[in-house]
Amino acid sequence: MPTPPASGSPQDRSPLEPIRVLRPRRTDALAELFKEMEQGTGALEPVAVPDPRSWDEGETQELPPVRTGHGSAPHGGRFGFGPGLRRAAVTIAVAAAALVGFGGALLLHDRNDAAAVQEPSPTASAEPTATASAEPTATASAASDPDGPGTLREGDSGPAVTDLQERLLRIPDVYAGGSTGGTYDATLKAAVARFQLWYGIRGDETGVYGNDTRVALESRTASGTG
């Protein structure tokens, strides 16, 4: 069985109330701030503001009202181009078109002149070609042959080849026992090349009886020499 609590126990005491701690507000800094503001405004010099009613209205002008609708653009047109500017633009466009047309006409005229100059004349085309064909073939061959006119080479035949063979037989050990049948064969070519090498003839192709070889051979096989 529980025993009653003894007198003077904590249960008989009154409950403790919460303690409220009151702190003083720090108004000193705020007071100092207001004090500095008052001192700062006191150092400024007051300026008198004139009365608006005393202003002279004669110095100002009233702006014209803004017009709306078709007449809202004072200078004409949406982008501010007046009649004068439009006339100038039309004049410039017409002048540019005229210049372009004039330049095209000049260019076409120049092309026609150039085409007329390039066209061959009928008299020139009608000239006969018999003059060119009538030229001797020896002249053409002389111009195309680097060894000079009358050049003899392997494959040729005739009296000129026979004369060459007979002259080479007069040169010791160059064409010994060679034929004089008048045919420029490989043996005769080797003899001509040997003659060129031994006597230092360099103006003609090797084995070809050209002008330089002819002069050297004829000078050594002239009449009375052997």
Side-chain angles (χ1 to χ4, degrees):
M1 178 173 184
T3 56
S7 61
S9 61
Q11 296 180 358
D12 296 338
R13 300 176 183 177
S14 59
L16 296 178
E17 295 182 359
I19 300 175
R20 297 179 180 178
V21 179
L22 301 178
R23 297 181 179 178
R25 295 180 180 178
R26 301 186 62 181
T27 58
D28 297 339
L30 186 62
E32 292 292 336
L33 179 61
F34 280 110
K35 185 177 181 180
E36 291 178 0
M37 292 178 60
E38 290 178 359
Q39 291 178 357
T41 54
L44 299 177
E45 181 179 358
V47 178
V49 179
D51 189 1
R53 291 175 296 179
S54 64
W55 295 352
D56 188 5
E57 296 182 358
E59 297 180 358
T60 60
Q61 297 180 359
E62 184 179 358
L63 296 175
V66 179
R67 292 178 296 177
T68 58
H70 297 286
S72 59
H75 298 289
R78 182 178 179 182
F79 300 99
F81 295 105
L85 292 178
R86 283 198 290 268
R87 293 194 200 98
V90 172
T91 304
I92 293 174
V94 172
L99 288 176
V100 170
F102 183 70
L106 288 179
L107 182 59
L108 182 60
H109 181 68
D110 293 340
R111 288 183 178 178
N112 292 335
D113 292 343
V117 171
Q118 292 178 359
E119 290 180 357
S121 60
T123 57
S125 60
E127 291 181 357
T129 59
T131 305
S133 61
E135 294 181 355
T137 57
T139 305
S141 61
S144 60
D145 198 336
D147 297 320
T151 301
L152 299 176
R153 52 175 42 89
E154 186 177 4
D156 294 340
S157 61
V161 179
T162 303
D163 181 72
L164 169 61
Q165 293 171 339
E166 291 177 353
R167 289 181 181 274
L168 286 177
L169 288 174
R170 301 178 189 178
I171 305 299
D173 301 330
V174 172
Y175 190 52
S179 173
T180 57
T183 302
Y184 205 119
D185 53 7
T187 304
L188 182 59
K189 178 180 179 181
V192 174
R194 191 179 301 110
F195 176 76
Q196 293 172 342
L197 177 62
W198 289 1
Y199 291 92
I201 303 171
R202 302 180 182 276
D204 298 327
E205 185 180 351
T206 303
V208 176
Y209 189 55
N211 284 341
D212 294 341
T213 308
R214 182 188 304 276
V215 171
L217 182 59
E218 289 180 353
S219 63
R220 289 173 173 77
T221 58
S223 59
T225 62

